[in-house]
Amino acid sequence: MDKKRVTVPLVCHGHSRPVVDLFYSPLTPDGFFLISASKDYSPMLRNGETGDWIGTFEGHKGAVWSCCLDTNALRAATASADFSTKVWDALTGDELHSFEHKHIVRACSFSEDTHLLLTGGVEKILRIYDMNRPDAPPREVDKSPGSVRTVAWLHSDQTILSSCTDMGGVRLWDVRSGKIEQTLETKSSVTSAEVSQDGRYITTADGSTVKFWDANHYGLVKSYDMPCTVESASLEPKYGNKFIAGGEDMWVHVFDFHTGNEISCNKGHHGPVHCIRFSPGGESYASGSEDGTIRIWQTGPLTNDESEALSRDGSTEKVKVTVEEVSGKIEGFHIAEEGKSIEKEEAKKE
């Protein structure tokens, strides 16, 4: 059954310290991309499908806590403990702008239209930088009640979402007025907040609970207790029928969205899982850990319906390869090595 299935991930090495944030770009004409933030000062860009390293953004002088790509994956932004947020050319790796702050910056996010960059951190101030006028002073949104941990945009950039390190809840700010219009109440600090691809749900991880909120009316849709303290959660973007969570127990858990039942549990990391995200097509998901690695896991054999739906995006061949690889792994526990080094110890352990 599902729980007996052994999933062999693609293991992405390169970081020398814990990986604390991951971000997938939307699907672009060149495919999709994965950017990672690490305490080693060096955010990295990878091919989102294969995990192959593309480049490292060099210039930060402190741990990088957050990273993101704009909608077209042409620019990257990173937030760091060196009191700066930097914007990079994602094609060349060149630093385009460095926005200085007065304390550690924990979160950054590009607006959907790519014109604005939102930052937040220990200063308890949400700042909005205009990418068309990067030398202009940023707009400061009404003071955050606590040290900012996560930020995101929703409602076509009309609303800002933020959570705090030192208190529970997710605050939703009206961009025009700069005021908090709603607070989603949680008992513990929200360490991960994700707006679903279709804009319907906000997925939050707080302590040992994963919650799903209506992104338009802000009501609580579902709340599930987790088997351990989780730091990050992500909803499958295509069908919304499953979600993933990772945290203290070092495992990557897959759950049914409708029932909360655990579908599978992937073991492989050697340290707590700090961040976890689905790829834009839902065919795989990535986890970043204290152990300094990123692991990319296949979602599993796709049904015919799913394969057909994906093929409409022009990626039929890729899907076929993925399905064959995954089924090969399940039937024979054999690892497909397509120029990708998968640790031998991983195979033995699985």
Side-chain angles (χ1 to χ4, degrees), residues 10 24 32 47-52 283-284 296 298 318-319 322:
L10 297 171
Y24 275 107
F32 59 94
N47 178 304
E49 187 176 16
T50 64
D52 290 338
E283 64 278 0
S284 61
I296 297 177
Q298 298 300 323
K318 293 175 187 171
V319 173
T322 306

Side-chain angles (χ1 to χ4, degrees), residues 79-111:
S80 172
D82 66 8
F83 295 14
S84 78
T85 295
K86 292 184 185 294
V87 178
W88 314 82
D89 184 317
L91 301 179
T92 65
D94 294 336
E95 181 181 313
L96 300 176
H97 313 290
S98 185
F99 300 122
E100 300 307 313
H101 294 62
K102 294 185 176 68
H103 214 307
I104 293 167
V105 193
R106 285 298 302 262
C108 60
S109 179
F110 280 111
S111 59

Side-chain angles (χ1 to χ4, degrees), residues 5-12 22 24 34 48-49 244 250-254 264-269 273 275-279 282-289 291 293-300 322 326 329 346 349-350:
R5 188 167 74 219
V6 174
T7 303
V8 181
L10 297 171
V11 183
C12 307
L22 292 169
Y24 275 107
L34 175 66
E49 187 176 16
I244 47 176
M250 302 189 270
W251 299 345
V252 176
H253 300 270
V254 185
S264 60
C265 174
N266 300 319
K267 303 174 184 181
H269 281 297
V273 176
C275 44
I276 195 161
R277 286 292 177 260
F278 264 107
S279 65
E283 64 278 0
S284 61
Y285 48 95
S287 54
S289 165
D291 66 16
T293 67
I294 300 162
R295 280 167 161 75
I296 297 177
W297 313 80
Q298 298 300 323
T299 303
T322 306
V326 173
K329 289 167 191 168
E346 291 301 323
K349 216 156 74 138
E350 302 293 0

Side-chain angles (χ1 to χ4, degrees), residues 9 14 16 65 69 72 82 96 98 104 113 190 199 224 278 296 335:
S16 57
W65 286 109
L69 293 161
N72 306 309
D82 66 8
L96 300 176
S98 185
I104 293 167
D113 67 10
V190 171
Y224 295 123
F278 264 107
I296 297 177
I335 303 167

